[in-house]
Amino acid sequence: MPLNIEGNSVRLRAVEPEDLDVLYRWENDPGVWSVSGTTEPFSLHQMRRFIAEQQAADIFRTGQLRLMIEAPANGSESSPAPSGHPWRPVGAVDLFEFDPLNRRAGVGILIHAAEDRGRGLAADALRTLCRYGRDTLHLHQLWCNVGAENEASLRLFRGAGFTEAGRLHDWQWRPDGYHDEIMMQRILE
């Protein structure tokens, strides 16, 4: 039985080979590219290699960790649970730029389907990740960068105890021009 990191309404788990199709779909959705920094499609080969790397090494060797966010299976049609499974994948949370010396990491989160957003799943996943980072990885802090106009993400991170550490002006380019980015951090106590 795989290890799951339990939240109140979600659980976080390691990426498995069976996640290939859903990760391939999410990573190749241009609708989320502006927040993920993606600029080109991923091939199935690249996604298989990513999953294999996630399974072969830990965060201390790779500097990153992706965990799948799962919710009870009675949810949306766009993220169905595999037949007979009580949980279904709704998103992913990443730790990246892991710095073991200073005990910090960046965090990014995605709840993919619009109908799964606004239900508290991301908030529970982020709280659960913070607990895991503090208690298991012994991190001192987490940080993230959020587009200044991304009110939903700013509310999410503020609600999880992140505070604004600075503003990077004209930091993100998109087809409609440059946008500011807010750097946020949370000291894990």
Side-chain angles (χ1 to χ4, degrees):
M1 176 136 188
L3 172 67
N4 297 307
I5 304 163
E6 302 289 337
N8 292 324
S9 61
V10 301
R11 69 182 190 181
L12 308 179
R13 64 161 175 81
V15 174
E16 298 288 349
E18 296 78 24
D19 296 317
L20 176 64
D21 291 339
V22 72
L23 287 174
Y24 180 73
R25 186 168 33 94
W26 293 348
E27 292 289 352
N28 286 306
D29 179 357
V32 298
W33 285 6
S34 66
V35 295
S36 68
T38 303
T39 58
E40 61 191 41
F42 286 89
S43 70
L44 278 172
H45 174 74
Q46 288 171 304
M47 292 309 305
R48 278 189 196 98
R49 193 174 68 222
F50 171 77
I51 291 170
E53 288 168 359
Q54 286 289 294
Q55 292 187 307
D58 62 27
I59 191 171
F60 289 91
R61 284 189 251 162
T62 64
Q64 68 178 36
L65 172 67
R66 172 165 292 177
L67 295 168
M68 298 298 288
I69 302 169
E70 291 186 319
N74 58 355
S76 80
E77 293 297 316
S78 65
S79 295
S83 180
H85 289 271
W87 294 87
R88 66 187 174 87
V90 295
V93 62
D94 292 329
L95 291 175
F96 58 91
E97 294 184 28
F98 172 65
D99 180 343
L101 176 64
N102 293 298
R103 296 182 14 212
R104 67 176 170 242
V107 62
I109 190 166
L110 169 71
I111 300 294
H112 187 262
E115 63 265 24
D116 286 326
R117 296 181 194 145
R119 297 180 43 219
L121 302 175
D124 189 34
L126 190 54
R127 281 190 304 271
T128 303
L129 180 73
C130 288
R131 188 180 73 240
Y132 173 74
R134 181 193 65 224
D135 296 347
T136 304
L137 298 176
H138 306 291
L139 293 176
H140 174 65
Q141 67 178 291
L142 292 172
W143 60 270
C144 64
N145 290 333
V146 178
E149 73 291 336
N150 189 339
E151 286 300 322
S153 288
L154 291 170
R155 269 192 315 277
L156 169 68
F157 283 99
R158 286 180 182 131
F162 285 71
T163 58
E164 186 172 326
R167 178 181 285 257
L168 302 165
H169 298 279
D170 287 351
W171 199 253
Q172 297 175 324
W173 182 87
R174 287 188 224 118
D176 65 339
Y178 284 95
H179 296 267
D180 290 359
E181 191 168 84
I182 307 293
M183 182 173 190
M184 303 180 82
Q185 70 182 123
R186 177 176 169 189
I187 305 299
L188 302 172
E189 301 175 51

